[in-house]
Amino acid sequence: MKRYSLYVWMVATAVVFLSCKKEDKLDTSHFQGKWSERADDRVAMDGSVTYIFNSDNTCSKHIYNALSNQDTTLKWTYVLSHDRTLVTMYGTDKVYTEQYRIKKLTSREMKWENASPGDGNSNKRLIR
């Protein structure tokens, strides 16, 4: 009976272990470059938002408002956290502007979760 109980425990442990989804690894080598914000299916964007991340930790955010036909470009610096899962952006005056947890990062898609609720920023899906 002890042997049967041990066998059942081992099988149950194996099933639980194998059924757990592995965390997606973030390949931060894809971080730099040009990314376009993509709205989800429930939201329509009247324009576009594009981020460009450079190797010298500078970035720009280009916002085009189609309703007013107005372009705005913001110049920032960015910092990736030590574990490279958090991006924080600062304006030219060194004041914090936005901060996101990087939830997914591939060569074609990046998903951000707002790390500072209440600051007016929302989660973002960026594509190339």
Side-chain angles (χ1 to χ4, degrees), residues 51-117:
Y51 292 85
I52 299 174
F53 294 95
N54 303 307
S55 61
D56 64 354
N57 286 59
T58 60
C59 65
S60 59
K61 180 179 180 180
H62 179 81
I63 305 162
Y64 171 67
N65 184 329
L67 297 176
S68 65
N69 195 29
Q70 185 175 19
D71 283 313
T72 304
T73 300
L74 306 169
K75 300 288 186 180
W76 294 338
T77 58
Y78 70 90
V79 176
L80 285 173
S81 62
H82 180 70
D83 64 358
R84 304 181 72 75
T85 61
L86 186 71
V87 59
T88 306
M89 290 168 270
Y90 299 91
T92 55
D93 53 2
K94 309 278 191 249
V95 174
Y96 157 87
T97 57
E98 298 180 24
Q99 186 176 57
Y100 300 94
R101 291 188 201 300
I102 303 170
K103 302 306 277 182
K104 180 179 183 179
L105 178 55
T106 66
S107 62
R108 306 286 300 152
E109 182 180 25
M110 182 163 36
K111 288 187 178 180
W112 288 350
E113 179 182 86
N114 186 13
S116 302

